[in-house]
Amino acid sequence: MAGLLLLIAAVWITYAPAARAQEGPGPLVLVLELDGAVGPGTAEYLSQGLETARERSAELVVITMDTPGGLDSSTRDIIADILASPVPVSVFVAPAGSRAASAGTYILYGSHLAAMTPGAHLGAATPVQMGGSSPLSPAQPEGEEGEAAPAKGGDAMTAKITNDAVAYIRSLAGLQGRNAEWAELAVREAATLTAREAFDQQVVEILARDLDDLLTQADGRTVQLNGDPRVLSTAGATVERLSPDWRARALAVITNPNIAYILLMIGIYGLIFEFMSPGAVGPGAVGAVCLVVGLFALNMLPVDYAGAALMLLGVGLLVAEAVMPGLGVFGVAGAISLAIGSMLLIRDMPGYRLSPYVVFATVGVSLAFFLIALRSALKAARLQVITGAQSLSHALGEVRHWAGGEGLVHTQGEDWQARSPAPLVTGQKVRVTGRDGLTLIVEPAPETEPPAA
């Protein structure tokens, strides 16, 4: 009997590893991180992550989220990628203290599996400047028969944008059977929920302590993937975190409103300095690159064109102050116009606000730049030329030899052939009035008389 047991043990030790190897590795779970405002860089990163998950046949993609909101266009791009993904996507609002505010609520509702950790919260999804030029205040209570009441003050555009956002989030809620009524409250009244409240009200499906707990609870759950049921198998899954590549990181940096604003100003100043001092090359090249990159970034941000026009007016007035000093009137008006335009340039969006400190510092530097640097450059440009052929104009000299209206004149350390319509004598001071080839045309210098014979 003992020998039989030893034989069985030996066979198990020999063949068990091979059997496990034939089973292959466990399911793959890719983890992406959405930390901060939702913007073009975020959309690029998540799109690349979902494509990687498709290529590697991952079982699940988990997006850990902590966001104050962001741009409507980027939010819709992210949700479109999630809905088109052949790999289920779970949004996990974690760690404790995280939030899925504004745009984050829409993304959570668009996911195939929603989860939160205790201490997190979501909501406040009222659209702010989502497709409009004015901030949106929470819509008014509903009227009779469930119809939305008109916005306060009869703002038809506000009502249109709010109703569009309500329809959008309700359609997302219906995909996985989530609480559509609360979703509408989050849009119309900026309602919020804690993690426990969201779980109790069927806004999220899982309340998990951490990622391991999420994967344990997700195992065996059924989600709707492109209209078809899909059973998740996350037990023993291999977890791999994906970081954004250089392109997504660069896009996130340049679409920061403060960076885009600084690049724009450097570009404008570089080109102005190049125009004021032709041939410098460096300022023009750097300015052109910064201007193109800055305009590319602003193209992806909610820009107010009135603010951009005021900025250009301010720069123009500062240039006018440098070229035609007007007792500081142009300079002060230009600085005020530049400051107001800068504050209006980027529409106020969650996570996308232009820092007033950056604006004030930039305006101060701009004022100093135009009042000191450019004025000095213009003053230098107006100075008399002291080198080259042009330096001979109005130069003073002394007659070395003269006879018959022609002779030699010594000026700027050299002897020149010269002629003059006036009679001159050796040793007399003269002034150059022109040049004919290599012959100078001179005249007696002011307040000089021919030396006594």
Side-chain angles (χ1 to χ4, degrees):
M1 185 64 180
L4 180 60
L5 292 176
L6 289 174
L7 179 61
I8 294 174
V11 172
W12 184 83
I13 292 173
T14 302
Y15 292 101
R20 286 195 297 268
Q22 291 178 356
E23 293 176 359
L28 175 64
V29 173
L30 296 182
V31 179
L32 309 177
E33 184 177 357
L34 198 171
D35 186 8
V38 177
T42 308
E44 176 80 10
Y45 162 52
L46 295 182
S47 177
Q48 292 175 354
L50 293 177
E51 179 62 21
T52 300
R54 183 192 65 80
E55 294 173 351
R56 299 178 61 179
S57 301
E59 178 66 21
L60 181 68
V61 173
V62 177
I63 301 176
T64 60
M65 178 184 292
D66 180 12
T67 178
L71 304 183
D72 171 57
S73 58
S74 299
T75 301
R76 290 178 181 264
D77 289 342
I78 292 171
I79 294 174
D81 288 337
I82 291 175
L83 297 180
S85 173
V87 179
V89 177
S90 172
V91 168
F92 184 30
V93 186
S98 299
R99 55 179 170 168
S102 191
T105 301
Y106 291 85
I107 296 174
L108 182 139
Y109 263 83
S111 66
H112 303 103
L113 183 65
M116 298 181 70
T117 193
H121 65 278
L122 83 163
T126 301
V128 178
Q129 295 180 350
M130 187 177 291
S133 59
S134 302
L136 300 185
S137 58
Q140 303 305 306
E142 293 185 353
E144 296 180 359
E145 300 180 0
E147 295 181 356
K152 186 176 181 179
D155 191 344
M157 181 58 68
T158 297
K160 287 181 180 180
I161 297 173
T162 303
N163 290 336
D164 175 73
V166 168
Y168 185 46
I169 201 167
R170 288 186 71 96
S171 67
L172 296 175
L175 295 176
Q176 304 296 331
R178 297 192 180 105
N179 190 332
E181 284 69 27
W182 181 84
E184 182 169 349
L185 289 177
V187 175
R188 294 194 182 279
E189 302 179 10
T192 58
L193 290 176
T194 64
R196 170 56 64 180
E197 292 169 342
F199 180 73
D200 292 339
Q201 297 189 33
Q202 298 180 348
V203 173
V204 299
E205 291 78 44
I206 293 178
L207 193 62
R209 298 185 305 276
D210 50 30
L211 182 60
D212 292 336
D213 188 19
L214 169 62
L215 297 181
T216 299
Q217 296 188 51
D219 186 49
R221 282 183 175 268
T222 301
V223 297
Q224 295 297 318
L225 186 63
N226 297 323
D228 299 323
R230 171 77 172 269
V231 179
L232 300 179
S233 177
T234 56
T238 300
V239 178
E240 183 176 332
R241 295 182 179 271
L242 292 182
S243 300
D245 63 4
W246 67 269
R247 187 176 186 277
R249 287 195 295 268
L251 195 59
V253 170
I254 65 174
T255 52
N256 180 304
N258 297 301
I259 301 298
Y261 173 73
I262 292 174
L263 287 173
L264 182 66
M265 298 306 297
I266 292 176
I268 293 174
Y269 296 156
L271 293 182
I272 290 176
F273 192 83
E274 181 68 27
F275 294 148
M276 302 296 291
S277 303
V281 180
V286 173
V289 172
C290 290
L291 185 61
V292 171
V293 176
L295 290 175
F296 170 76
L298 290 177
N299 182 56
M300 298 184 175
L301 297 174
V303 175
D304 191 310
Y305 294 104
L310 282 172
M311 284 184 59
L312 292 177
L313 175 62
V315 172
L317 289 173
L318 289 175
V319 173
E321 177 65 30
V323 177
M324 301 176 295
L327 301 177
V329 176
F330 288 157
V332 173
I336 294 175
S337 179
L338 182 60
I340 296 175
S342 299
M343 296 303 296
L344 296 177
L345 180 64
I346 305 294
R347 296 173 186 167
D348 195 10
M349 297 287 289
Y352 280 85
R353 294 182 174 90
L354 192 58
S355 171
Y357 300 105
V358 173
V359 172
F360 295 147
T362 304
V363 171
V365 171
S366 302
L367 191 59
F369 176 79
F370 282 104
L371 296 184
I372 299 176
L374 282 185
R375 182 173 292 184
S376 299
L378 290 172
K379 183 178 180 181
R382 296 190 182 105
L383 293 178
Q384 181 178 352
V385 180
I386 60 174
T387 60
Q390 293 181 352
S391 65
L392 291 171
S393 179
H394 304 291
L396 297 177
E398 181 180 333
V399 177
R400 289 292 177 89
H401 172 72
W402 199 263
E406 297 181 349
L408 290 178
V409 171
H410 183 82
T411 181
Q412 294 189 354
E414 297 178 319
D415 288 340
W416 291 78
Q417 292 288 338
R419 68 171 184 263
S420 175
L424 300 175
V425 297
T426 301
Q428 184 176 355
K429 300 296 182 180
V430 295
R431 182 178 63 180
V432 179
T433 59
R435 193 176 64 148
D436 182 10
L438 296 179
T439 300
L440 301 181
I441 301 174
V442 298
E443 66 179 11
E447 300 180 1
T448 62
E449 298 180 356

